[in-house]
Amino acid sequence: MANKPIAMNKIRQIIKLHSYKKGKKFISQQTGIARNTVKKYIQRFQGLRLTVQDIDEMDDQRLDELF
């Protein structure tokens, strides 16, 4: 379904799997999120220059504002 909101825990899961050097295809399969969407969130994460720990410590509202 297009433009369906993604839960913040899914975004955290995408970022964590990416930090473990998992590929976009693997992350997509594990999370059930389309590969292009996974790519978009990874690029956004890299552009923000945050750490995985920063993402984990953010509340859902703040994370939603960033992504």
Side-chain angles (χ1 to χ4, degrees):
M1 179 184 221
N3 296 324
K4 182 179 176 186
I6 295 178
M8 295 302 109
N9 64 333
K10 287 287 188 178
I11 293 175
R12 285 184 176 93
Q13 187 178 10
I14 290 168
I15 301 305
K16 282 183 184 180
L17 289 170
H18 173 70
S19 73
Y20 296 144
K21 307 292 185 207
K22 301 297 182 183
K24 288 182 261 322
K25 184 175 181 180
F26 176 85
I27 295 170
S28 176
Q29 291 170 341
Q30 291 296 306
T31 61
I33 306 296
R35 267 189 282 173
N36 283 339
T37 305
V38 168
K39 180 181 173 182
K40 178 180 85 171
Y41 284 118
I42 290 171
Q43 287 175 338
R44 182 70 178 142
F45 169 70
Q46 291 171 333
L48 292 170
R49 301 196 184 277
L50 297 171
T51 66
V52 175
Q53 186 177 6
D54 293 336
I55 297 294
D56 281 342
E57 291 173 356
M58 283 183 197
D59 62 18
D60 286 353
Q61 182 178 358
R62 177 70 177 134
L63 189 60
D64 185 41
E65 290 170 0
L66 291 175
F67 285 91

